[in-house]
Amino acid sequence: MRHRHLETATLAVGVVVLADVLRVFLPSVITVFGQAAATPAPLLGAFALGWFVLALFAPALVRRLGARPVATVAAVALAAARLALTAAPGGRTQLWLATVGLLAGLVWLAGTAARTDRPLPGLALGLALGAVTHAAVDTYDLVWRSGWAGWAGSGALVALFLAGTARLASTPAASASPARPGGARVWLLAGPALLLTGMVALSPAVAGTASSYRRGPAAGLAGPPVAGDLPILLASAVALFLLAALARPPRGPARLCGPVAALAGAALFAADRPGWLAPAILLTAAGTGGCLSLAGTAPPPSVPPAGPGQADGRPTRPALAAVLGMLVFAVAVFAYHAAYDLGYPNGSVPVAVAGFVAVVALAPGRVRASAAGAHPRVPPRLRSARIAAGAFLCAFVAAGLSQPAPATSRHQEPPTAVRVVAYNVRMGYGLDGRLDPDGLATVVAGQQPDVVVLSEVDRGWLLNGGHDVLTLLARRLGMTYVFAPAADPLWGDAVLSGLPLASARTRKLAAAGAPTGAQALGVTVDIGGGAGLAVVATHLQPPPGREPVAQARAVADFALGYAAGRPLVVAGNLNTEPGAPAYAELTRAGLVDALAAARPQPTSPAGDPRTEIDHVLVRPGTAVSHPAAPRSTASDHLPVAVTVHLPPP
């Protein structure tokens, strides 16, 4: 393999390894260091951003020791941390391993930047490869899997990365490609491109959610996508991204196409309109790729000899640009998601990042023109059309492997009773801070449910690792679902069932100073014989220091109106205890506690439950039996379950 191809391949695999570590570090900051929102937001943010700021020492390290040894040692540390995380340590060990891996990854990125002549192909292929592998594992990354499949896949990935690193380390210095100062623009965009692709453009979870909104039972609601929707959307995004990134950039006014597309896609995503997710994905993919292509043009024709601020004759300016770009990534991702706790509008964050990418891409490079006054040389590109076509096929196959399983019912005849489970799943993360869809599915399936109501359902937030917890659980339970957004199109509540879901409706609840948005989702479960059970799922968000009284009143009004005399179940994390003012609003409206026979039945925190905030309520006179709150640490809440007996037809 020629040196530049080896360099490209190693950089691409390294980007995937670093992204894997980030998918552990980011949610660990929330679930382990953050202690389920118990840690003050400023302290949490300072801890997370501090490591990106600390990495600013990396260019000085490169200057003193040289790019090659710094990149090699950091790559070994990154690979070791990535492999160690597969051992499923959980808790503080997981947090610190991910932190070490993150810091090592940032240093590796700086060392690689200082010694890589053509970073664009490796960065673009790495982002696309990460999307394809993330789709192939159904957004449940290998790093979270401690079984043989996790170890085999993680071992193969790390082995490829270390093999390429070793080959590069043994390459004679004379044959290595020195980094050009002009390449700093591409490295500066590495972090922002990682944000835009991970948050919007190349996220399999976001693509799956966008596809599911197309098949929802009503406007603004999502249901399982039809086979083919997700593969086509994701594969198209990956192909557009690579085609735009690896093709020769346009000249003249056409140079504006990439930046305009990136800004338009980010604006559509920031608008929080479920129907706009699909065009947001495609525009952001094409625009981000186009901006990277523009930034990769016009390098200086020669590299100055070694001198101050350089190492091994290679400028350290690209190293600093790479670390600064990742700092932009960190600031933006935490600024976007912190809005749901601090209450400021966050739609401007992805638009601002896209604007930053556009400005850097369009900025003129410092280029020495040739004696004849020719245009600046454009570095050789890979055969972009062939690569894009191959990436489309790979992404299509990978996404097709992750389609939800068909719903199954354990009833052969119309049931006379249904088992209802309500569960706050905390984005899929257990008390130990590990993503645990298998643990969640096990505790839910143990109750043999007919209907499952989920709160805190994450369908692609980058801060939580970019996975789709709803699809992961639906596949494991063999159920269909209806999802309603609360905070944005990727976060909300869901109703799952093995029985047919006939119709649905949602009502947005007033925020009243609550951190994340809230809604009430009404779903009709077809129990056969022309009868229907109305199920209302909600997650009340109390204002700081107060009860969610207004939201409770709104939910009761919505539920009773939606049921229209039919059997009714209202369930979810209501953030109020029996006898509290918000709970009294629900009972005053005519709802009855279905778990009363088992009181007290605390559900939070799961490790030492002390508060009763997860509930199931029904109409007066509805017979219920077998209330339970099975112990589990697959979330920070315990699930609640009860059998609801249906009136005769």
Side-chain angles (χ1 to χ4, degrees):
M1 183 183 289
R2 288 192 296 176
H3 179 273
R4 66 186 180 91
H5 291 156
L6 176 64
E7 200 173 60
T8 294
T10 304
L11 176 55
V13 176
V15 168
V16 176
V17 175
L18 177 57
D20 274 359
V21 172
L22 273 170
R23 289 196 185 105
V24 180
F25 174 79
L26 293 175
S28 294
V29 171
I30 304 300
T31 61
V32 179
F33 185 83
Q35 292 294 311
T39 303
L43 179 60
L44 187 148
F47 174 84
L49 295 178
W51 302 104
F52 290 86
V53 173
L54 183 60
L56 292 173
F57 82 91
L61 201 63
V62 168
R63 184 184 304 114
R64 178 178 293 273
L65 302 178
R68 179 177 299 194
V70 168
T72 302
V73 173
V76 172
L78 170 61
R82 167 63 182 82
L83 204 57
L85 286 169
T86 310
R92 294 283 175 176
T93 302
Q94 171 183 296
L95 174 64
W96 290 115
L97 276 174
T99 301
V100 169
L102 169 68
L103 192 57
L106 295 175
V107 174
W108 165 78
L109 206 63
T112 301
R115 69 186 303 271
T116 300
D117 178 48
R118 299 172 59 244
L120 176 56
L123 286 172
L125 289 173
L127 293 172
L129 179 61
V132 171
T133 55
H134 197 40
V137 295
D138 203 14
T139 74
Y140 182 30
D141 299 287
L142 293 173
V143 70
W144 298 113
R145 307 186 189 203
S146 55
W148 70 267
W151 279 108
S154 298
L157 179 67
V158 168
L160 282 173
F161 179 49
L162 290 179
T165 299
R167 286 282 301 277
L168 288 174
S170 62
T171 303
S175 64
S177 302
R180 295 182 294 251
R185 286 200 297 163
V186 176
W187 286 110
L188 184 60
L189 292 187
L194 179 61
L195 177 93
L196 292 176
T197 56
M199 182 180 283
V200 190
L202 303 184
S203 169
V206 177
T209 304
S211 299
S212 70
Y213 276 114
R214 293 186 58 214
R215 305 296 178 177
L221 298 177
V226 171
D229 282 2
L230 168 59
I232 289 175
L233 179 57
L234 180 63
S236 299
V238 171
L240 281 172
F241 171 75
L242 286 178
L243 189 63
L246 301 180
R248 290 184 179 275
R251 293 182 178 179
R255 297 177 71 231
L256 295 174
C257 291
V260 169
L263 282 165
L268 288 178
F269 176 78
D272 285 346
R273 298 286 295 273
W276 294 358
L277 274 181
I281 290 169
L282 297 175
L283 284 170
T284 307
T288 304
C291 288
L292 285 174
S293 179
L294 289 173
T297 61
S302 62
V303 178
Q310 298 178 6
D312 295 339
R314 300 175 179 88
T316 55
R317 184 174 161 216
L320 179 60
V323 178
L324 286 174
M326 290 303 296
L327 182 58
V328 171
F329 164 87
V331 170
V333 73
F334 282 99
Y336 182 84
H337 292 289
Y340 295 116
D341 290 317
L342 302 181
Y344 59 84
N346 60 1
S348 61
V349 173
V351 177
V353 173
F356 174 82
V357 169
V359 168
V360 173
L362 292 172
R366 295 193 301 170
V367 185
R368 231 177 290 161
S370 65
H375 285 288
R377 180 172 62 90
V378 177
R381 303 293 172 135
L382 302 177
R383 291 179 175 84
S384 55
R386 295 181 183 178
I387 292 176
F392 178 92
L393 180 61
C394 292
F396 185 88
V397 172
L401 295 174
S402 63
Q403 293 299 289
T408 58
S409 174
R410 61 191 180 94
H411 296 287
Q412 300 299 321
E413 300 291 336
T416 58
V418 295
R419 185 74 171 166
V420 177
V421 173
Y423 204 178
N424 182 323
V425 294
R426 193 172 77 149
M427 306 91 64
Y429 288 90
L431 278 185
D432 60 356
R434 290 192 63 81
L435 182 64
D436 191 16
D438 293 323
L440 290 170
T442 297
V443 68
V444 171
Q447 295 299 310
Q448 296 187 307
D450 300 294
V451 177
V452 179
V453 174
L454 299 181
S455 303
E456 291 192 10
V457 177
D458 175 14
R459 304 203 64 191
W461 273 7
L462 180 60
L463 185 65
N464 295 329
H467 63 269
D468 184 355
V469 68
L470 182 55
T471 297
L472 291 173
L473 288 177
R475 284 177 61 87
R476 284 158 175 77
L477 296 173
M479 292 182 168
T480 189
Y481 63 80
V482 175
F483 171 80
D488 67 10
L490 304 178
W491 171 281
D493 311 294
V495 173
L496 295 80
S497 182
L499 298 165
L501 301 179
S503 63
R505 193 166 77 233
T506 183
R507 175 185 293 177
K508 191 172 183 62
L509 304 179
T516 52
Q519 62 81 53
L521 167 64
V523 177
T524 299
V525 180
D526 185 354
I527 56 179
L533 170 67
V535 177
V536 174
T538 191
H539 181 190
L540 302 186
Q541 297 288 331
R546 291 183 290 157
E547 283 274 309
V549 175
Q551 288 187 353
R553 186 182 305 118
V555 166
D557 291 342
F558 169 80
L560 294 171
Y562 176 77
R566 293 172 295 174
L568 171 65
V569 171
V570 178
N573 176 6
L574 305 185
N575 276 313
T576 183
E577 297 199 65
Y583 189 89
E585 284 293 327
L586 296 167
T587 57
R588 186 178 299 115
L591 297 174
V592 176
D593 185 359
L595 306 175
R599 298 291 184 195
Q601 194 171 63
T603 58
S604 178
D608 180 24
R610 297 183 298 273
T611 59
E612 301 179 86
I613 58 176
D614 298 274
H615 304 282
V616 178
L617 300 105
V618 294
R619 283 186 181 279
T622 302
V624 296
S625 63
H626 303 96
R631 297 304 292 263
S632 172
T633 58
S635 173
D636 63 341
H637 286 239
L638 299 181
V640 291
V642 66
T643 298
V644 178
H645 297 270
L646 303 172

